[in-house]
Amino acid sequence: MEKACIDINELVNVFSNTHGSIYQSDKLNCFYVDFGGKFARFNCLSLQKLKKVVEDIDIEALLLNTHKADFELVTFNGCEHIYLLSALEIIALKDLLHGTFTMFKLNHLISDCLYRLVY
């Protein structure tokens, strides 16, 4: 998906780090992950699956294994996107996804507190 096809004004930046960003589109009910030179569209379930796949990667084992390179293919069933990431990129993507889901939880907590104050 090219960035030029998306109206960037309609996207809300959920979380960013130095390696990428995750945007939310309320109009299209999806998320866009801008990471590793790729701008990919995910629905909510796919974003959760991506987070689980990335969190399940054992960075220590990847770095200590001398029989293979420290790169990992990141994908899951039903996903049309594939990432080939180094150990450092995996750490950066973990950080990006962790920050994003923390922001979702924080938003939910704030909404819940405001709802209680009003009602």
Side-chain angles (χ1 to χ4, degrees):
M1 174 77 51
E2 293 293 324
K3 286 184 188 179
C5 299
I6 313 276
D7 184 6
I8 206 76
N9 295 325
E10 295 177 357
L11 299 180
V12 176
N13 187 341
V14 178
F15 187 78
S16 295
N17 64 14
T18 56
H19 298 282
S21 300
I22 296 184
Y23 301 98
Q24 178 178 344
S25 172
D26 293 330
K27 182 178 179 181
L28 299 174
N29 199 23
C30 65
F31 298 95
Y32 291 95
V33 178
D34 186 8
F35 184 83
K38 186 177 211 174
F39 195 74
R41 180 179 172 171
F42 291 91
N43 63 23
C44 186
L45 183 60
S46 295
L47 192 64
Q48 289 174 336
K49 286 181 182 180
L50 177 65
K51 181 179 183 280
K52 179 168 178 10
V53 167
V54 171
E55 284 182 349
D56 288 345
I57 297 172
D58 187 1
I59 297 291
E60 186 177 343
L62 186 66
L63 292 172
L64 293 176
N65 188 350
T66 59
H67 299 292
K68 72 177 209 177
D70 65 341
F71 286 91
E72 189 78 27
L73 275 176
V74 177
T75 190
F76 54 90
N77 288 340
C79 180
E80 59 189 43
H81 307 290
I82 297 174
Y83 293 94
L84 177 62
L85 303 174
S86 69
L88 292 176
E89 290 171 325
I90 293 169
I91 292 169
L93 185 56
K94 277 185 181 185
D95 176 58
L96 182 65
L97 291 167
H98 180 73
T100 299
F101 280 85
T102 300
M103 294 305 289
F104 291 153
K105 289 176 188 172
L106 180 62
N107 186 30
H108 177 70
L109 287 172
I110 291 171
S111 296
D112 190 39
C113 288
L114 290 175
Y115 180 76
R116 284 190 218 165
L117 288 174
V118 172
Y119 296 103

